[in-house]
Amino acid sequence: MKRVLVIATSRKTRGGITAVVSAHEKGSQWRKYHTRWLGVYIDRNNALKILYFVISWIQYLFLLPFYDLVHIHVSTHTSVFRKSFFLYPAKWLGKKIVTHLHCSTPSILYDKRNRQLYRKAFLASDIVLVLSSQWKRIVEEALDVKDNVRVLYNPIISLPLSSEHYTKKKYILFAGTIDKRKGYHDLIKAFSAVSISYPDWELLLAGNGEIEEGKQLAESLGIADKVKFLGWVSGKEKDRFFGEASIYCLPSYAEGFPMSVLDAWAYNLPVICTPVGGIMDVAKDGENILLFNPGDIDTLQVLLKRMIQNEPLRVHIAEESHKLSDSLFNLDRINEQLGSIYKELLGE
């Protein structure tokens, strides 16, 4: 009986890695290989982070002899350093190792100090999983690691909770961590210009982060009454906001593969986005998405106006992108691919 041990964030930590592992947990490969999820990072203060890590590492040392494959999820260089305490004991004991990269900023891999950290970890792994063909090229070029790099897309996770039909409302939705990397400030600035021509439209931002800074920006632009910060949304509340939205926009500067765009596609929403991360593997500008360069507020204004005033375009883009949720990013398909990787490494 072969067994898989997954090393990732804790179940209660919000973010892309937790969402992806939760999706993998739904697959038949999880049960087939008696997979266990060991959280080694928790989003709390530094003292609790250290305590949680130490307890997890001790637990790991007791568990490791009973598992055949260790699947390690990493992101930043700090994450890679932290997970090295799990990777190398597995290597020394002859376990099969899958390292799964969720990095959002390619420049990290080119930094001289970080490069050696990533390269050493990836060369010690049997397979390195990345989120897109673009990330595969980056890893191969930046780290000179080629033979063991494979693409595994993030799956569509946030399928509507019910078949309830939501009446579309005149608002643009953003969902994610509200910080500069996600470009929320560009979206607010672009919307301030658009709202002059379309005063009945609103902008809704869901997520935690720089909420007060965002409110101050909206206030300074005179659109505080049209910009709403929802905080973290989930469950039926998330279902309603995505179901009622007319447009989804992610003006991000860097991504691995944006989970929120996958969410929007699942909810049949037309998306305006920047060409970052794995988006470019499937993006067809004007066909299944509208694209603009990060920080290009003028073009974003044009695209927002274009989408607002052209309902047939919204419907067409939504329909074309929604097809991806039933094909390339289908949850069952992704889990089947992951199961095949496990089977290959375990010699079955």
Side-chain angles (χ1 to χ4, degrees):
M1 181 177 67
K2 302 296 186 179
R3 296 161 67 91
V4 173
L5 184 59
V6 172
I7 307 300
T9 49
S10 77
R11 291 178 180 274
K12 294 183 179 180
T13 297
R14 295 168 177 171
I17 291 179
T18 303
V20 168
V21 178
S22 296
H24 291 168
E25 193 175 25
K26 295 178 173 65
S28 61
Q29 87 291 339
W30 192 278
R31 298 182 296 277
K32 178 180 178 180
Y33 294 106
H34 307 276
T35 307
R36 178 166 181 160
W37 178 350
L38 180 62
V40 302
Y41 174 85
I42 192 167
D43 190 14
R44 297 291 187 271
N45 62 54
N46 288 335
L48 287 177
K49 285 179 182 177
I50 293 171
L51 177 62
Y52 189 82
F53 174 83
V54 171
I55 293 173
S56 298
W57 187 67
I58 293 171
Q59 186 179 8
Y60 174 74
L61 295 180
F62 280 100
L63 290 172
L64 183 57
F66 302 99
Y67 286 82
D68 306 282
L69 185 152
V70 181
H71 186 163
I72 304 172
H73 293 263
V74 302
S75 54
T76 65
H77 59 287
T78 305
S79 171
V80 176
F81 174 75
R82 185 169 56 245
K83 302 296 176 49
S84 68
F85 289 89
F86 300 86
L87 188 154
Y88 295 111
K91 187 70 175 178
W92 297 331
L93 289 180
K95 307 298 182 180
K96 295 297 183 180
I97 300 170
V98 174
T99 297
H100 201 148
L101 180 64
H102 299 265
C103 184
S104 61
T105 309
S107 60
I108 292 177
L109 303 187
Y110 291 92
D111 178 84
K112 185 176 181 180
R113 183 174 55 183
N114 295 336
R115 182 181 185 276
Q116 293 305 315
L117 184 66
Y118 279 101
R119 177 175 162 76
K120 186 178 179 182
F122 289 0
L123 288 176
S125 305
D126 294 282
I127 287 180
V128 176
L129 296 178
V130 295
L131 304 184
S132 70
S133 60
Q134 182 188 48
W135 272 104
K136 185 175 188 293
R137 290 192 297 270
I138 291 169
V139 167
E140 292 175 343
E141 176 185 277
L143 306 180
D144 193 26
V145 176
K146 294 182 171 62
D147 296 336
N148 63 341
V149 183
R150 310 241 189 121
V151 174
L152 184 73
Y153 289 117
N154 285 339
I156 295 279
I157 298 172
S158 297
L159 296 175
L161 296 177
S162 71
S163 58
E164 180 179 350
H165 176 72
Y166 291 98
T167 301
K168 290 295 182 181
K169 296 185 178 180
K170 293 182 178 180
Y171 67 75
I172 300 157
L173 180 65
F174 165 99
T177 304
I178 299 175
D179 60 22
K180 295 296 191 296
R181 179 176 67 83
K182 292 288 187 179
Y184 78 92
H185 52 297
D186 293 336
L187 178 55
I188 293 174
K189 291 175 183 177
F191 179 73
S192 69
V194 170
S195 65
I196 297 173
S197 302
Y198 303 95
D200 51 344
W201 279 72
E202 293 182 317
L203 172 62
L204 274 59
L205 297 99
N208 295 329
E210 302 172 5
I211 292 177
E212 289 306 314
E213 291 89 336
K215 288 181 177 179
Q216 291 173 13
L217 177 58
E219 181 72 33
S220 69
L221 294 170
I223 54 171
D225 59 326
K226 298 177 184 177
V227 179
K228 297 180 180 178
F229 291 85
L230 307 175
W232 185 268
V233 297
S234 60
K236 291 184 178 180
E237 187 179 36
K238 177 180 178 179
D239 216 36
R240 178 170 64 83
F241 284 121
F242 271 85
E244 293 179 348
S246 292
I247 300 168
Y248 184 83
C249 183
L250 181 68
S252 186
Y253 283 73
E255 294 285 343
F257 202 114
M259 298 296 294
S260 65
V261 170
L262 295 177
D263 285 348
W265 288 345
Y267 281 89
N268 207 29
L269 271 174
V271 172
I272 301 174
C273 186
T274 49
V276 293
I279 286 291
M280 295 311 295
D281 275 16
V282 295
K284 296 179 181 178
D285 191 19
E287 185 67 18
N288 61 11
I289 200 168
L290 294 184
L291 297 171
F292 69 102
N293 291 324
D296 187 352
I297 297 173
D298 290 339
T299 299
L300 177 54
Q301 291 176 21
V302 172
L303 296 183
L304 288 173
K305 289 182 178 179
R306 181 181 171 192
M307 197 78 91
I308 286 172
Q309 65 192 14
N310 192 337
E311 184 176 359
L313 175 66
R314 297 202 301 269
V315 171
H316 175 75
I317 289 179
E319 288 177 347
E320 288 302 307
S321 58
H322 185 69
K323 292 176 183 177
L324 296 170
S325 65
D326 292 325
S327 55
L328 196 60
F329 301 102
N330 177 269
L331 176 58
D332 292 335
R333 174 176 173 164
I334 300 299
N335 279 330
E336 182 179 340
Q337 291 170 353
L338 181 58
S340 296
I341 290 170
Y342 289 167
K343 181 178 180 180
E344 174 189 340
L345 289 179
L346 294 171
E348 294 188 332

